[in-house]
Amino acid sequence: METKSATAARLFDIRRLIGGLFVVYGVIVTIAGITASDADIDRAEGLNINLWTGLSMLALGLFFLAWLKLRPTAPPPPDAADAADAAQERQRGD
């Protein structure tokens, strides 16, 4: 039971969702920036805004994923009621 709750805590960590979405959108916007035409760049006053925004989003997404890898979430502590139930099941099993 503890391994299931630890797996669920890691699976639904918000850093994974935010990091993954920023990486995906960052790649898409970066590609749009790389393939931008001169007219698109001129409209943004000479700044390739898609390229810089995409690279920034990509860096932020990679930061969130690295943070998740370096500091994983701790599993929630077992409740006292769960511990008592587990002790009773062990007594019945013997």
Side-chain angles (χ1 to χ4, degrees):
M1 184 73 159
E2 287 181 27
T3 58
K4 283 186 177 181
S5 64
T7 303
R10 283 191 304 270
L11 183 64
F12 295 111
D13 191 358
I14 193 73
R15 294 175 293 181
R16 181 183 311 263
L17 296 172
I18 291 172
L21 285 174
F22 267 102
V23 166
V24 169
Y25 291 146
V27 167
I28 292 170
V29 175
T30 300
I31 291 172
I34 291 171
T35 60
S37 66
D38 289 334
D40 292 335
I41 295 172
D42 288 340
R43 275 191 286 170
E45 297 182 11
L47 181 66
N48 193 345
I49 194 72
N50 284 338
L51 180 65
W52 289 110
T53 303
L55 290 174
S56 300
M57 291 172 73
L58 194 58
L60 183 65
L62 291 174
F63 167 75
F64 271 97
L65 294 177
W67 180 22
L68 176 69
K69 190 74 169 173
L70 295 174
R71 296 218 183 240
T73 55
D79 291 341
D82 291 340
D85 290 341
Q88 286 177 357
E89 286 180 19
R90 276 185 265 144
Q91 287 176 353
R92 281 187 247 152
D94 288 60

